[in-house]
Amino acid sequence: MRVLIVTAVPAERDAVVRGVGATAPELAELPVPGGMLHRLSPAPPAGPPLTVDVLAAGVGPTAAAAGTAAALTAAAVARTPYDLAVSAGIGGGFTTARPAATTPAATMPAATTPAAARPAAARLGSVVVADAIVAADLGAETPDGFAAVTDLGFGTVEHLPPAPLVAAVAEATDAVRGTVLTVSTVTGSAERAAELLRRHPCAVAEAMEGFGVAEAAAAQSVPALEVRTVSNAVGPRDRAAWRIGEALEALTGAFATIAPLLGTWTFDPEGTRQ
Ligand SMILES: O=C(O)c1cccc(C(=O)CC[C@H]2O[C@@H](n3cnc4c(=O)[nH]cnc43)[C@H](O)[C@@H]2O)c1
């Protein structure tokens, strides 16, 4: 089992390496075109050997896609392809409990909307696992509002991680599960946050790299996952309220849990455990 974990910045990479390294020391730093992989080989509880490579590829979807594509291609050419690509890092959380009116069950009276249909709030320090990785601003402004590229007849705006793996990782890390949006501009107002939730009622977090990692992975038929820990609330800009240190610590804790889990996983195209 070979896993590529892509972060934006070195601080996130180091937090992931510390977490994975809870069960294995770092083995090596290996150059790939345009970057440097940090390789670990945690002992899996059972099953085949596990190799985890962690790459800080830069901020934003384009840097993430370029770095992911380079690492995946280098591995494929060396005949040691990856089984899974993971976008990991800190992110903004939709931190307030969701009113029933913004959920998919909005047609139901609020009093009868099942709690299970409402996305849980992704509070500061919490772990988020994406069940959908969505490019939230890939499209066009039209007189009728934003149109996704898919509405214009081309491209892709969503990648779905393997559901059984999402469920297992979310359960193990006690994570909030939902759509994680990829944006090129960090949300800085309540109006923009509300607009994103109107368009993506199941959104639990936003970040800037997940869709880039997933798009590069999909191009090579590699499944993708996104794991975020919440450093700030999506909404009005408030730098004093950021909790980057806590989010990085939570990232380390999440990957200390996730690494042994990945060691027990063998992938088929549906991502089911075999
Ligand atoms: O200057 C600001 O107002 C601001 C607010 C939040 C984050 C930033 C960043 O430049 C960090 C970008 C970096 O971290 C991830 N991240 C963290 N929080 C968010 C967010 O609320 N929305 C989008 N991305 C976020 C992101 O994946 C980048 O790697 C600046």
Side-chain angles (χ1 to χ4, degrees), residues 98 100 103 105 108 110-120:
R98 207 64 52 77
T103 71
M108 301 170 69
T112 60
T113 304
R118 304 177 195 170

Side-chain angles (χ1 to χ4, degrees), residues 8-9 12 58-60 89-93 181 183 185-188 206-210 228-229 231-235 237-239 242 244:
V9 297
E12 293 168 319
V59 173
I90 63 172
L181 305 177
V183 294
T185 304
V186 174
T187 297
E206 72 164 36
M208 303 178 82
E209 294 82 22
R228 296 277 160 187
T229 51
S231 56
N232 58 279
V234 176
R237 192 158 188 244
D238 179 10
R239 290 194 77 132
W242 295 1
I244 291 176

Side-chain angles (χ1 to χ4, degrees), residues 35-187:
M36 185 69 77
L37 293 174
H38 288 237
R39 174 160 294 174
L40 299 100
S41 188
L50 172 65
T51 300
V52 177
D53 290 340
V54 192
L55 174 70
V59 173
T62 313
T68 304
L72 292 178
T73 301
V77 166
R79 299 188 186 282
T80 53
Y82 290 105
D83 301 293
L84 176 70
V86 183
S87 173
I90 63 172
F94 290 97
T95 53
T96 50
R98 207 64 52 77
T102 64
T103 71
T107 49
M108 301 170 69
T112 60
T113 304
R118 304 177 195 170
R123 300 201 168 78
L124 298 195
S126 61
V127 181
V128 169
V129 177
D131 60 13
I133 301 170
V134 170
D137 50 18
L138 187 60
E141 279 192 329
T142 78
D144 299 325
F146 178 82
V149 286
T150 44
D151 297 331
L152 306 173
F154 52 90
T156 306
V157 291
E158 179 180 81
H159 291 287
L160 299 180
L165 182 62
V166 169
V169 170
E171 200 168 304
T173 57
D174 200 18
V176 175
R177 204 185 313 181
T179 298
V180 176
L181 305 177
T182 300
V183 294
S184 291
T185 304
V186 174
T187 297

